[in-house]
């Protein structure tokens, strides 16, 4: 296209029928007085409505990270394997054999609460685009879900909708959902969390970036047409001047996984050519964030002709086009003269593609619509130099009280206690959820949902990739710093249980309103905890996402810094599983109990007490345990490895017995265990960290104990696999139940509670 | 043997089938784009799983009308082997190359899990590497795998021995509890009367390698591409 | 012309979805609900064309794509140009 | 009384299914096809009840279960007892 002649900002006319932008309208767009003044300052005039919309989008918390930036700087983000840290669409780490892993996690909390199916589905769609935008083929997803109490209003249908949404999108794309977490807590009754993780792989040298360069290079638009999807500001701002708009409700974004699937294939095919300079998906704030961010990264200007943008319905205003969040759209910068070469690929796949603008030297953005200039602005002040705040922080006033050591009721009947815990949706099997996810497509899944970490083989290599997602919001609420550390430590532990060495972390930091100093304090402490732990384990944070303002009527969610960690297994030998596999195996407990109950499921789910200090996290001890597990597993000496987390030793043993139940395997009838420990019945439910269960053939026991000693990890042989019952002889009382019964309770609890 | 994996927009098990044929069984394999009007001289055609054209109307409905299916039809008419897996099975029924229809699972939910299949006949090339009555463990992953047809037609299928795989308990007994999608007569896979067009909902390509902990699916491909491995003395 | 098409599972065939919806409706207090059939519906713009011809074209669409006549039956209604505006309330609904 | 309910995606909202069906119909030779909307339809037996009351009950069913009014709109038609016999051909179809 021929670039329209530049016009001086002073003369930029507001498009017809648009309201004059006032400070009031700016405030309705979420700009503070100072921010509006700042906008007027660098614009040197009153903004057009489109310019206001663009500014409100780019300066939103979501795009600008203005409240969180200062703290995120604390994360360790570099390391020998890191090829791309935070700042791109996703992070990139080297996983050997010339391959890299590209991964990221993102939240879609609010949309999922409004319309659970589409909200969750488009959340998955968004994170997948972040991955293939980098030139990687997505091979796995995980989902971390936080729901309210089942009896809270709409909760059952929210759960059903979210799970169907995640399943439908991933299943249709043919990308396995191999893991995740699900929790239920009153703190999420009015703000559920849907965090979606995706991982892709690519050849080391085939990574693509979203850094625009080369004045005169055309900007291409590919994928779905633009409609009025997800424009919230739009209707609000329009009503005042457009009778038509009264009818236009802010419309829910609807995902089309089929279009995303062909968009994925088309993008990967187009990327084989050398014509692509930069490529970026359209996520939140659609065209605006994608094009401005690309230009900002390349410190270059651009001109955009909105009349060229494919529309789903006629009559969209420039404002609406710039803010539309229609799904399954990409923006590409292509070498001048090679548009057709790229366009042909998209058309082959049945996708629309259009040249909508071009890069220009300088540092300004010009957006034209219907022969008028709808926006003409400098790019840096809206992006790199967007407002950053160091807001006040304050330790929650009630924290000291909540951290006081609670009265811990004794366990009368350990069997009944275990059964009661297994019957809670919190600890029951999540099979009802992950059955609805295709977790075997792409034929890489060695270990799918249900274990400690998922394991994928890396085709064409002897290696495997492991991944897990962890956080305990109750711990975080009682001590966000410890909670942050614990999330990282548990992730490392889960990876170690499949013999994987951690290579990178992505996070999704879900918190309340950062303008509340107590919430921001939680955020800062959690980030410090995560940073501290990542430094200790030498695992870099390579990407992530912040979701703030998860608050309703002044009530914030529990601090929920979800940590997703990826690990590498150099040689996929015989893999251990989390459940018992062979009668006669010796069971060894690694790590020492310290009778810790603060924030435990025992207190919370059975006694309604959410109080005390969460379990201490000894990072050095965790590192030793992880090394031991990796060494033991590498020698393929281990049949079973399962870490202790919520519910402590009793829960871990129960899970290891139940896991093999059913199917045609040896555990079909239920493979029990006889355990003898020098612990009180109560201690069986202590949540002391840094512990794991391992089961090995008798002949391998000695080697395991020697490895434990060498690594300085306390190890105790506690019993043997066999029989059809789980029997734990503790001080003064014995826990005894048939595996069949435990399985029945554990596997039916969630569907029963949901009533589906 | 030259194998062709048909690629519809929205197919997503195409790579998986290609991988098994090419890298596990070392066959000559090509992809056949949905707009192709020839089969590029392929001897064996596989319609892989996925969500062809989004499967918005009914699984396989739109794919059944694509140009390449005309050639597949002719190939089948000449007795050429055609295997439809999951969505591929749906395409074959929608194209009327196989009888019946696959409707939403009984529970109205997508089901991803291992199932146990009983080999009802091993006198087909497809099943010639299995024992008669052998129980296989194969994963399913579908929302519309509930096989339906009229009672009379089902009787005909039985009479013609067109039912090749049934969902059973690990013990090998037909048991409704192990028929997760509610298929009539526990039907997991059927063949046409001529015996050269097979469709099944479970995914043999997902359990054809040791590293995945299950090789039960490999035989289905071997039966066709490695005749040498066919069981001698199989009831044929 | 526009066509309104509805596609239902044939009566000889089980309709698990219809059963599920009936159960759900009864559970949330609509005890009066008897049999429920769950199907699909389509509205198709046909441009200018004679009703009879339109009906034949749409029947062909049903046979070839919109319905799987092995297990489904369809019904076609040809209506004039009047744009089917959003119908949200029962009353408006009845007038359609 | 029986109710015929149709549920469609709200007009301003993307209708991927309608889009896909339109493309497919055009590809197989129905070039005249314009916009296609794809939705759900339900036939509900209500037993003996006044049309007006029936309509209100069914509207409630739509609000609570049959439609997701965040993204869908519905239309209701109340018809008499006449059993909706299988309609296979276009002609019979038109008479419905
Ligand atoms: N929403 C979900 N999606 C997929 N898998 C899930 C989900 N929720 C739980 N799971 C699976 O259930 C298993 C148990 O989850 P969890 O108790 O969080 O494990 P851990 O305590 O070892 O972190 C995990 O293997 C996980 O993959
Ligand atoms: Mg674990």
């Amino acid at each position: 296209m021929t670039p329209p002649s530049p016009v001086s900002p002073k003369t930029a006319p507001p498009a017809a029928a648009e309201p004059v932008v006032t400070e009031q309208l700016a405030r309705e767009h979420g700009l503070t007085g100072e921010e509006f003044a700042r906008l007027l300052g660098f614009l040197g005039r009153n903004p057009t409505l489109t310019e206001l919309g663009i500014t409100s989008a780019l300066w939103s918390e979501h795009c600008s990270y203005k409240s969180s930036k200062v703290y995120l700087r604390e994360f360790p983000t570099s390391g020998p394997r890191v090829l791309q840290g935070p700042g791109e669409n996703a992070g990139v780490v080297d996983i050997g054999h010339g391959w890299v892993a590209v991964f990221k996690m993102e939240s879609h909390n609010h949309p999922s609460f409004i319309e659970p199916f589409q909200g969750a589905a488009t959340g998955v769609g968004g994170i997948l685009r972040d991955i293939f935008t980098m030139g990687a083929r997505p091979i796995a997803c995980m989902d971390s879900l936080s729901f309210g109490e089942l009896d809270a209003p709409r909760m059952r249908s929210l759960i059903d909708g979210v799970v169907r949404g995640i399943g439908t999108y991933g299943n249709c794309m043919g990308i396995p959902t191999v893991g995740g977490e699900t929790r239920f807590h009153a703190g999420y009754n009015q703000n559920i969390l849907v965090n979606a993780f995706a991982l892709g792989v690519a050849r080391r040298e085939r990574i693509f970036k979203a850094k625009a360069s080369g004045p005169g290079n055309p900007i291409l638009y590919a994928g779905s047409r633009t409609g009025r999807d997800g424009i919230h500001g739009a209707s609000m701002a329009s009503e005042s001047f457009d009778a038509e708009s009264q009818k236009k409700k802010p419309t829910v974004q609807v995902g089309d996984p089929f279009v995303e699937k062909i968009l994925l294939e088309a993008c990967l095919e187009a990327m084989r050519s050398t014509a692509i300079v930069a490529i970026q998906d359209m996520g939140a704030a659609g065209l605006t964030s994608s094009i401005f961010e690309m230009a900002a990264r390349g410190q270059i200007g651009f001109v955009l002709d909105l009349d060229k943008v494919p529309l789903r319905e006629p009559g969209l205003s420039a404002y609406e086009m710039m803010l539309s969040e229609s799904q399954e759209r990409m923006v590409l910068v292509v070498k001048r003269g090679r548009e057709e070469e790229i366009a042909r690929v998209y058309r082959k796949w049945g996708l629309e593609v259009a040249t909508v603008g071009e890069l220009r030297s300088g540092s300004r953005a010009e957006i034209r619509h219907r022969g008028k200039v709808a926006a003409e602005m400098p790019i840096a002040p809206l992006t790199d130099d967007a407002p950053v705040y160091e807001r006040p922080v304050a330790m929650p006033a009630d924290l000291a009280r909540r951290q006081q050591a609670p009265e811990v009721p004794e366990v009368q009947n350990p069997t009944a206690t275990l059964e009661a815990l297994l019957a809670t949706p919190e600890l029951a099997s999540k099979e009802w959820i992950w059955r609805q996810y295709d977790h075997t497509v792409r034929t890489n899944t060695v270990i799918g949902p249900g274990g400690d970490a998922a394991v994928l083989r890396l085709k064409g290599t002897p290696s495997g990739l492991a991944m897990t997602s962890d956080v305990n919001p109750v711990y975080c609420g009682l001590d966000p710093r410890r909670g942050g550390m614990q999330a990282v430590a548990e992730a490392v532990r889960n990876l170690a249980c499949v013999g994987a060495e951690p290579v990178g972390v992505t996070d999704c930091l879900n918190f309340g309103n950062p303008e509340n100093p107590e919430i921001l304090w939680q955020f800062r402490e959690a980030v410090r905890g995560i940073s501290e732990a990542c430094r200790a384990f030498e695992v870099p944070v390579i990407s992530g996402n912040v979701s703030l303002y998860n608050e309703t009527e002044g009530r914030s969610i529990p601090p929920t810094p979800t940590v997703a960690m990826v690990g590498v297994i150099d040689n996929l030998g015989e893999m251990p599983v989390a459940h018992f596999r062979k009668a006669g195996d010796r069971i060894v407990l690694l790590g020492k109990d310290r009778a810790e109950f603060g924030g435990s499921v025992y207190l919370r789910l059975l006694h309604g007490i959410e109080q005390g200090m969460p379990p201490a996290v000894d990072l050095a001890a965790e590192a030793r345990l992880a090394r031991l597990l990796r060494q033991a597993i590498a020698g393929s000496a281990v049949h079973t490895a399962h870490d202790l987390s919520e519910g402590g030793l009793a829960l871990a043993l129960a899970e290891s017995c139940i896991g093999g139940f059913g199917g045609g395997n040896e555990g079909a009838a239920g493979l029990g265990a006889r355990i003898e420990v020098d612990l009180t019945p109560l201690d069986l439910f202590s949540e002391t960290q840094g512990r794991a269960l391992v089961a090995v053939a008798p002949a391998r026991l000695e080697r395991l104990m020697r490895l434990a000693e060498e690594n300085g990890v306390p190890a105790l042989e506690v019993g043997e696999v066999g029989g059809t019952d789980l029997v734990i002889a503790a001080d003064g009382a014995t826990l005894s139940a048939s595996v069949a019964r435990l399985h029945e309770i554990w596997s039916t609890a969630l569907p029963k509670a949901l009533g589906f | 043997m030259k194998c062709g994996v048909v690629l519809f927009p929205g197919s997503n098990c195409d790579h998986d089938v290609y991988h098994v044929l090419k890298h596990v069984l070392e066959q000559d394999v090509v992809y056949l784009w949905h707009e192709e009007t020839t089969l590029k001289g392929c001897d064996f055609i596989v319609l892989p799983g996925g969500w062809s054209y989004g499967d918005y109307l009914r699984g396989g409905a739109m794919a059944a009308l694509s140009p390449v299916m005309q050639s597949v039809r002719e190939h089948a008419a000449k007795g050429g082997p055609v295997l439809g897996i999951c969505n591929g099975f749906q395409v074959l029924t929608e194209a009327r190359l196989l009888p019946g229809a696959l409707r939403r699972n009984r529970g109205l939910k997508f089901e991803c899990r291992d199932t146990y299949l009983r080999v009802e006949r091993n006198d087909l090339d497809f099943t010639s590497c299995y024992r008669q009555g052998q129980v296989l463990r194969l994963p399913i992953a579908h929302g519309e795998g509930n096989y339906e047809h009229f009672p009379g037609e089902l009787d005909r299928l039985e009479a013609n021995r067109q039912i090749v795989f049934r969902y059973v308990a690990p013990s090998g007994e037909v048991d409704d509890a192990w028929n997760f999608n509610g298929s009539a007569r526990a039907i997991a896979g059927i063949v046409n009367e001529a015996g050269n067009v097979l469709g099944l909902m479970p995914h043999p390509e997902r359990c054809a390698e040791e590293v995945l902990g299950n090789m039960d699916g490999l035989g289905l491909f071997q039966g066709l591409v490695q005749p040498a491995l066919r069981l001698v003395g199989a009831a044929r | 012309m526009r066509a309104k098409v509805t596609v239902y599972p044939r009566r000889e065939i089980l309709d698990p979805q219809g059963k599920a919806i009936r159960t759900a409706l009864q559970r949330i207090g609509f005890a009066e609900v008897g049999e429920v059939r769950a199907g699909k519906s389509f509205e198709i713009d046909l441009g200018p064309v004679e009703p009879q011809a339109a009906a034949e074209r749409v029947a062909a669409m049903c046979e070839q794509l919109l319905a799987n006549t092995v297990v489904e039956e369809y019904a076609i209604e040809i209506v004039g140009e009047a744009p089917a505006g959003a119908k949200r309330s029962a009353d408006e609904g009845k007038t359609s």
Side-chain angles (χ1 to χ4, degrees), chain A, chain B, chain C:
Chain A
M1 59 172 265
T2 51
S5 57
V7 289
S8 102
K10 298 271 179 292
T11 67
E18 283 189 355
V20 176
V21 173
T22 62
E23 180 163 354
Q24 173 54 29
L25 188 56
R27 202 170 280 111
E28 288 169 18
H29 275 72
L31 267 66
T32 65
E34 307 81 80
E35 287 171 344
F36 186 55
R38 187 171 178 154
L39 172 59
L40 292 177
F42 66 74
L43 223 46
R45 62 175 163 81
N46 209 51
T48 64
L49 180 66
T50 306
E51 289 168 335
L52 174 62
I54 289 170
T55 309
S56 76
L58 291 172
W59 284 1
S60 69
E61 189 65 54
H62 185 92
C63 292
S64 72
Y65 289 76
K66 56 189 168 188
S67 306
S68 56
K69 238 187 184 136
V70 290
Y71 303 105
L72 299 180
R73 296 196 184 110
E74 299 188 14
F75 283 141
T77 59
S78 59
R81 288 177 179 267
V82 179
L83 279 77
Q84 175 65 57
E88 265 288 345
N89 285 295
V92 183
V93 288
D94 192 322
I95 52 174
H97 308 283
W99 289 96
V100 294
V102 178
F103 56 91
K104 184 174 194 284
M105 179 152 51
E106 204 155 78
S107 65
H108 227 216
N109 304 338
H110 190 58
S112 302
F113 191 74
I114 295 175
E115 211 304 286
F117 179 87
Q118 292 297 344
T122 52
V124 173
I127 192 64
L128 286 171
R129 280 194 300 282
D130 280 334
I131 302 308
F132 67 77
T133 296
M134 305 285 297
R137 175 173 289 279
I139 59 166
C141 293
M142 296 194 289
D143 60 328
S144 174
L145 309 178
S146 304
F147 297 117
E149 300 161 299
L150 294 183
D151 293 323
R154 292 179 63 219
M155 196 52 62
R156 284 182 173 81
S157 62
L158 285 170
I159 294 167
D160 180 56
V162 164
V163 171
R164 278 188 299 110
I166 290 167
T168 300
Y169 211 100
N171 298 349
C172 182
M173 290 287 290
I175 295 158
T177 301
V178 296
E181 338 164 64
T182 311
R183 65 184 59 86
F184 307 89
H185 188 288
Y188 304 104
N189 284 1
Q190 290 168 296
N191 297 85
I192 63 171
L193 304 183
V194 175
N195 294 178
F197 164 99
L199 176 144
V201 291
R203 297 301 296 173
R204 205 175 192 288
E205 66 283 357
R206 305 291 296 131
I207 287 299
F208 282 74
K209 301 280 176 78
K211 182 166 173 287
S213 67
N217 280 338
I219 300 170
L220 269 58
Y221 169 117
S224 292
R225 297 176 161 227
T226 297
R228 291 195 168 89
D229 308 357
I231 306 166
H232 304 91
S235 50
M236 172 203 68
S238 345
E239 269 148 12
S240 51
F241 63 93
D242 181 357
E244 243 305 285
S245 67
Q246 298 298 349
K247 288 203 255 39
K248 296 179 205 149
K249 298 183 207 57
T251 56
V252 173
Q253 305 134 272
V254 170
D256 186 341
F258 168 64
V259 170
E260 175 121 324
K261 167 67 175 169
I262 56 180
L263 188 62
L264 157 69
E265 299 302 335
C267 285
L268 293 184
E269 190 174 326
M271 285 165 165
R272 295 202 202 109
S273 103
T274 53
I276 297 177
V277 175
I279 176 166
Q280 159 98 44
D281 69 302
M282 289 190 234
L287 264 173
T288 295
S289 58
S290 55
I291 298 192
F292 274 83
E293 282 170 17
M294 273 176 124
R297 291 196 191 97
Q299 297 182 348
I300 191 165
F302 67 86
V303 52
L304 194 59
D305 179 356
L306 293 180
D307 299 311
K308 301 270 179 28
V309 172
L311 297 182
R312 199 167 76 227
E313 50 189 315
L316 266 71
S317 68
Y319 176 102
E320 291 174 310
M321 278 191 240
M322 290 308 291
L323 294 189
S324 163
E325 295 191 350
S326 292
Q327 300 292 297
E328 293 95 26
R329 302 180 299 163
M330 305 290 274
V331 176
L332 298 84
V333 173
V334 172
K335 290 181 182 157
R336 196 204 271 129
R338 297 181 64 179
E339 298 89 328
E340 188 50 31
E341 178 180 338
I342 296 301
R344 209 178 300 118
V345 177
Y346 286 94
R347 284 196 219 98
K348 168 194 158 190
W349 284 94
L351 290 163
E352 273 183 280
V353 47
T355 302
V356 295
E358 71 176 41
L359 298 180
R360 274 200 176 160
S361 48
S363 59
R364 298 186 73 88
E366 179 181 324
I367 294 156
R368 304 178 63 91
H369 184 228
R370 298 183 188 140
K372 296 208 179 63
V373 174
E376 206 291 333
M377 329 173 71
I379 294 165
L382 291 164
T383 52
D384 300 345
D385 308 338
V388 173
Y389 298 120
E390 198 146 356
R391 303 184 188 276
V393 300
M395 183 192 288
D398 65 347
L399 191 69
R401 183 180 52 69
R402 288 192 289 115
Q403 289 182 336
Q404 276 165 19
E407 272 303 315
V408 182
E410 276 306 325
V411 166
Q412 303 309 340
N413 174 345
T415 310
T417 304
L418 173 62
E419 293 181 352
L421 285 173
L422 287 175
T424 59
E426 194 74 14
L427 298 175
S429 169
K430 307 302 188 300
E431 194 171 327
W432 181 88
I433 293 170
W434 51 258
R435 278 269 172 263
Q436 299 183 51
Y437 303 156
D438 188 338
H439 46 83
T440 51
V441 64
R442 299 207 65 77
T443 64
N444 296 320
T445 309
V446 176
I447 300 179
D452 287 322
V455 176
L456 275 66
R457 58 99 171 250
L458 192 57
K459 282 196 181 97
T461 79
S463 310
L465 281 175
M467 57 204 76
T468 178
S469 145
D470 294 281
V471 62
N472 185 322
V474 176
Y475 293 174
C476 292
L478 293 169
D479 183 339
R481 186 171 206 149
R482 224 178 239 196
M485 288 167 63
Q486 189 275 340
V488 175
E490 179 166 356
V492 169
R493 217 155 58 221
N494 281 327
L495 291 184
C497 283
V498 295
E501 173 103 45
V503 295
V505 160
T506 182
D507 62 69
C508 197
L509 307 173
N510 310 272
F511 289 79
N513 181 345
E515 293 161 46
N516 169 344
E518 297 192 344
I519 298 295
L520 195 59
W521 180 85
Q522 291 179 333
F523 182 86
R524 186 192 72 189
E525 291 302 299
V527 168
R528 289 187 174 164
I530 292 172
S531 305
E532 202 175 327
C534 285
R535 286 208 165 75
F537 296 113
E538 294 177 351
V539 194
V541 176
I542 63 159
S543 62
N545 168 250
V546 176
S547 169
L548 300 175
Y549 298 96
N550 294 287
E551 175 195 62
T552 302
E553 288 148 15
R555 196 148 178 283
S556 286
I557 57 162
T560 314
T562 312
V563 168
M565 192 179 287
V566 173
V568 167
I569 304 167
D570 288 333
N571 279 293
L572 273 183
E574 190 199 324
M575 293 299 292
V577 290
H579 61 265
F580 294 136
R581 261 205 306 221
K582 277 217 138 322
D585 278 358
R586 298 302 162 78
I587 303 167
V588 174
L589 174 58
L590 303 171
K592 240 186 162 17
D593 180 55
R594 284 192 304 267
E596 293 169 288
F597 296 93
S600 66
V601 289
Y602 172 73
L603 285 182
R604 176 164 65 97
L605 300 177
L606 300 187
H607 300 284
I609 304 169
E610 211 172 301
Q611 191 188 322
M613 280 302 282
V617 180
D618 178 341
L619 295 171
E622 294 276 5
R624 289 194 297 272
L625 173 68
R627 193 183 326 110
L628 163 63
L629 285 165
R630 287 193 298 265
Q631 287 176 7
I633 290 165
S636 69
V638 177
H639 288 149
T640 302
H642 185 27
D643 77 314
L644 273 59
S645 56
E646 290 182 308
L649 179 61
L651 249 288
L653 282 165
E655 288 169 350
S656 292
C657 291
I658 294 166
F661 194 90
N665 54 314
E666 188 186 340
L671 205 42
R674 303 195 135 279
I675 306 290
E676 221 180 302
V677 282
D678 170 18
L679 294 170
T680 69
L682 175 63
D683 294 342
L684 296 177
F685 301 92
S686 147
E687 296 184 7
T688 296
Q689 301 292 298
R691 297 187 296 165
L693 280 173
V694 167
V696 296
R700 304 290 205 139
L701 183 61
E702 193 199 331
R703 174 173 177 275
L704 176 65
M705 298 309 257
R706 187 170 16 100
L707 280 177
E709 181 154 14
E710 287 167 12
N711 284 284
V713 175
L716 192 65
E717 184 186 353
V718 293
E720 180 175 328
V721 176
T724 56
D725 295 359
L726 169 62
V727 180
I728 308 175
D731 292 352
T734 294
L735 184 159
S736 171
S738 85
V739 176
R741 174 172 165 76
L742 295 178
H743 177 269
E744 170 68 16
I745 296 170
W746 177 80
S747 60
T748 57
L750 184 56
K752 269 193 200 143
L754 287 169
F756 295 142
Chain B
M1 181 176 255
K2 185 168 180 187
C3 312
V5 177
V6 176
L7 210 172
F8 302 105
S11 297
N12 62 31
C13 303
D14 45 330
H15 292 181
D16 303 356
V17 172
Y18 185 96
H19 172 75
V20 170
L21 289 168
K22 179 90 176 179
H23 300 115
V24 180
L25 294 172
E26 296 170 342
Q27 298 296 307
D28 174 11
V29 196
V30 295
Y31 285 115
L32 300 169
W33 184 239
H34 67 123
E35 285 167 335
E36 296 285 351
T37 49
T38 83
L39 300 183
K40 297 183 178 169
C42 291
D43 314 293
F44 172 35
I45 303 300
V46 184
L47 307 184
W51 297 45
S52 50
Y53 300 90
D55 276 355
Y56 279 116
L57 189 54
R58 290 181 313 277
M62 296 179 186
L65 298 167
S66 63
V68 73
M69 285 308 293
Q70 191 43 46
S71 320
V72 171
R73 217 179 239 100
E74 289 155 13
H75 175 78
K78 288 200 235 87
V82 178
L83 173 64
I85 301 166
C86 197
N87 187 235
F89 186 13
Q90 295 166 341
V91 175
L92 289 173
T93 56
E94 286 287 341
R96 304 285 196 268
L97 284 166
L98 287 175
L102 293 146
R103 307 190 49 238
R104 286 187 65 188
N105 295 350
R106 171 165 54 187
L108 304 181
K109 293 214 175 298
F110 188 95
E111 288 275 347
C112 179
R113 69 200 311 153
D114 275 349
T115 60
Y116 293 85
L117 303 187
R118 192 174 64 206
V119 179
E120 301 293 274
R121 60 184 286 193
N122 70 343
D123 57 347
L124 298 162
D125 289 349
F126 294 105
T127 52
S128 55
C129 289
Y130 297 125
R131 276 174 285 105
Q132 180 78 21
Q134 184 175 348
V135 175
L136 310 172
R137 177 165 60 98
L138 261 60
I140 55 167
H142 60 249
E144 296 182 356
N146 181 349
Y147 186 85
E148 273 283 1
H149 212 337
F150 300 110
E153 297 297 323
L154 292 169
D155 293 336
R156 273 196 44 185
L157 288 177
E158 306 260 13
N160 296 342
R161 302 180 58 237
Q162 285 178 259
I163 300 169
V164 181
F165 299 109
R166 280 187 221 264
Y167 298 109
V168 293
S171 64
E173 298 311 305
V174 172
D175 173 348
D176 198 52
W178 293 86
N179 177 4
F180 297 108
N181 56 28
S183 290
R185 316 254 171 124
I187 289 172
I190 58 172
V191 69
N192 63 344
E193 290 191 26
N196 64 311
V197 178
L198 176 78
L200 78 168
M201 288 313 295
H203 287 276
E205 78 280 12
R206 297 190 189 183
C207 49
E209 288 168 280
E210 196 153 14
V211 64
L212 300 179
N214 181 0
M215 311 257 302
D216 287 3
L218 190 59
L220 194 61
F221 300 98
Q222 286 173 320
L224 267 171
V225 304
Q226 297 181 343
L229 295 177
R230 290 175 189 168
L231 293 181
V232 275
R236 324 178 59 96
Chain C
M1 285 285 152
R2 271 181 327 107
K4 293 182 170 190
V5 178
T6 56
V7 175
Y8 282 103
R10 288 169 57 170
R11 291 181 173 280
E12 310 89 311
I13 294 276
L14 297 170
D15 176 10
Q17 199 177 354
K19 280 227 314 293
I21 291 167
R22 175 189 187 164
T23 319
L25 282 172
Q26 290 174 333
R27 201 181 50 223
I28 59 173
F30 298 97
E32 74 265 38
V33 170
E35 190 209 24
V36 175
R37 299 178 74 201
K40 309 190 190 102
S41 62
F42 309 97
E43 271 188 28
I44 306 172
D45 285 342
L46 299 167
V49 54
E50 283 313 302
Q52 183 55 37
E56 278 155 21
R57 290 291 281 173
V58 177
M61 296 178 199
C62 289
E63 292 289 336
Q64 288 177 51
L65 181 70
L66 298 180
N68 176 344
T69 51
V70 174
V71 286
E72 295 173 323
E73 63 195 25
Y74 57 87
I76 298 168
E77 185 186 356
I78 301 296
V79 297
E81 266 324 311
K87 307 187 196 78
R88 307 294 310 285
S89 90
D91 306 21
E92 287 171 15
K94 288 221 317 295
T95 71
S96 77

